[in-house]
Amino acid sequence: MTAYNRFFEDAIKSLHAENRYRVFADLERIAGRFPKAIHRDAGAAKEVDVWCSNDYLGMGQHPLVLSALTQTACAAGSTAGGTRNISGTSHPLVVLERELADLHGKDRALVFTSGFVSNDATLSTLGKLLPDCVMISDEWNHASMIEGIRRAGAEKKIFRHNDMAHLEEILAAQPHDRPKVIAFESVYSMDGDIAPIETIADLAERYNAMTYIDEVHAVGMYGARGGGITERDGLSHRIDIIEGTLAKAFGALGGYIAASAAIVDSIRSYAPGFIFTTALPPAIAAAATASIRHLKVSDAERDLQKARVAETKTALDAAGIPVMPSETHIVPVFVGDPEACKAASDRLLRTHSIYVQPINYPTVPRGTERLRITPTPLHASEDISHLASSLAEVWETLGLAAALPQTLAGPAPAVGVKRLAAHAAGG
């Protein structure tokens, strides 16, 4: 086997050569003190402020969530015991799926082990169940959606990001009675922009297409009960399949879909990614349910988070930091070079005890490398001031540009063209 190592060594060398090699920070979250964490490196440990967590509302440490987690673990153990087909479905998981169906106003919901799996398994199965289906995908869709569409084996079409004229052009070219699935996201996580959901629903009705929306960066965050952008805009009933995650604003683990009983039962019965995977542990299901129930009736976390986002954007702008346009809780700071992005992240961590992971290609197009900042309701005003002054020092020390490129300075990001070819090749 040693002879094969050179292939893997060469693969890793190519990542280093392209400045795409990823380094994972050794972090230990501190329940009750988020966004504080312990960073361990070369035998040393120090406290840092985390500014890039997807635990958007801090629900991963909420007392109600932790109580549900620990009580259920003590009562039911640490594992589901196997796949649902073999071991049955734990009652906390049954309750969770009912809660999710209610959240989105759908007949049924189905929980998977992650958001990646829910997208991959559902989209790939849709393409196999719908005869002569064409999958129509926004070019900025997440890798999990791209992979699911690829594995569907159906014809695929890619429309320019949020370009409704291009989407209609693709739809109009298809026979009216041909099965069509429009797959898109509500909040695009790297730029923080929102899809024109109502227009997409209108086009789907006009051209006889199904709609599949990924709400992973919106559930818990938007809508009167945390049902996402579709709930906020009163559009849930117009979307056929709503996919979401339990691992971001809800502070737990897992992914899910919510749809009609027939759709959910079909995915449950045909998707290998669901059938042959061990189910979520009962304790995780109970924790997620507690979080969802709380956020259905509490706006406190969402309101404070919105205030912190606005405060952060104002502080960074005053410090001369190039914040990319974003209409959501995502605060992308433009760097534009992979080496500089990594250097900025390293200096923030080593000099200022701030952890923000660099975002490089292929997560974003080359030339749009950035720091992706996610303020939470648990970041205090002094944390925001420290972040702004630290970024200003890093920008000055590294000689980074304070102005956005013209293509990024408008009301909406304009970098999607570079992703079209990559999506076509990968999805």
Side-chain angles (χ1 to χ4, degrees), residues 149-196:
I149 291 169
R150 184 192 68 79
R151 293 202 312 108
E155 182 180 359
K156 66 170 183 277
K157 300 287 184 181
I158 302 161
F159 63 95
R160 290 184 293 272
H161 178 56
N162 282 350
D163 187 331
M164 296 298 95
H166 191 206
L167 174 59
E168 182 166 19
E169 178 185 326
I170 292 171
L171 288 165
Q174 305 300 318
H176 187 76
D177 59 352
R178 184 183 186 187
K180 297 172 281 289
V181 177
I182 305 172
F184 61 107
E185 301 182 37
S186 59
V187 173
Y188 287 85
S189 64
M190 290 299 124
D191 294 272
D193 59 330
I194 296 175

Side-chain angles (χ1 to χ4, degrees), residues 327-387:
E327 53 188 316
T328 62
H329 57 284
I330 310 296
V331 183
V333 172
F334 180 80
V335 179
D337 177 84
E339 289 185 78
C341 198
K342 178 65 165 57
S345 173
D346 289 346
R347 186 165 183 82
L348 282 170
L349 185 59
R350 292 170 184 166
T351 305
H352 301 285
S353 297
I354 289 174
Y355 174 66
V356 183
Q357 181 73 356
I359 306 295
N360 294 335
Y361 177 86
T363 305
V364 296
R366 287 187 173 94
T368 69
E369 292 81 7
R370 68 201 67 177
L371 301 176
R372 177 182 176 273
I373 294 168
T374 54
T376 75
L378 301 177
H379 284 93
S381 293
E382 51 266 33
D383 297 325
I384 295 171
S385 297
H386 176 53
L387 173 69

Side-chain angles (χ1 to χ4, degrees), residues 236-257:
S236 301
H237 66 290
R238 300 190 64 192
I239 302 298
D240 294 298
I241 303 175
I242 297 175
E243 185 268 348
T245 185
L246 306 169
K248 293 183 171 60
F250 292 131
L253 179 70
Y256 66 88
I257 59 167

Side-chain angles (χ1 to χ4, degrees), residues 30 87 133 136 145 167 180 185 192 198 212-213 268 278 295 333 359 373 388:
I30 308 171
S87 298
C133 174
I136 306 171
M145 301 175 77
L167 174 59
K180 297 172 281 289
E185 301 182 37
E198 185 171 18
Y212 180 102
I213 191 168
R268 182 192 71 86
T278 297
L295 290 174
V333 172
I359 306 295
I373 294 168

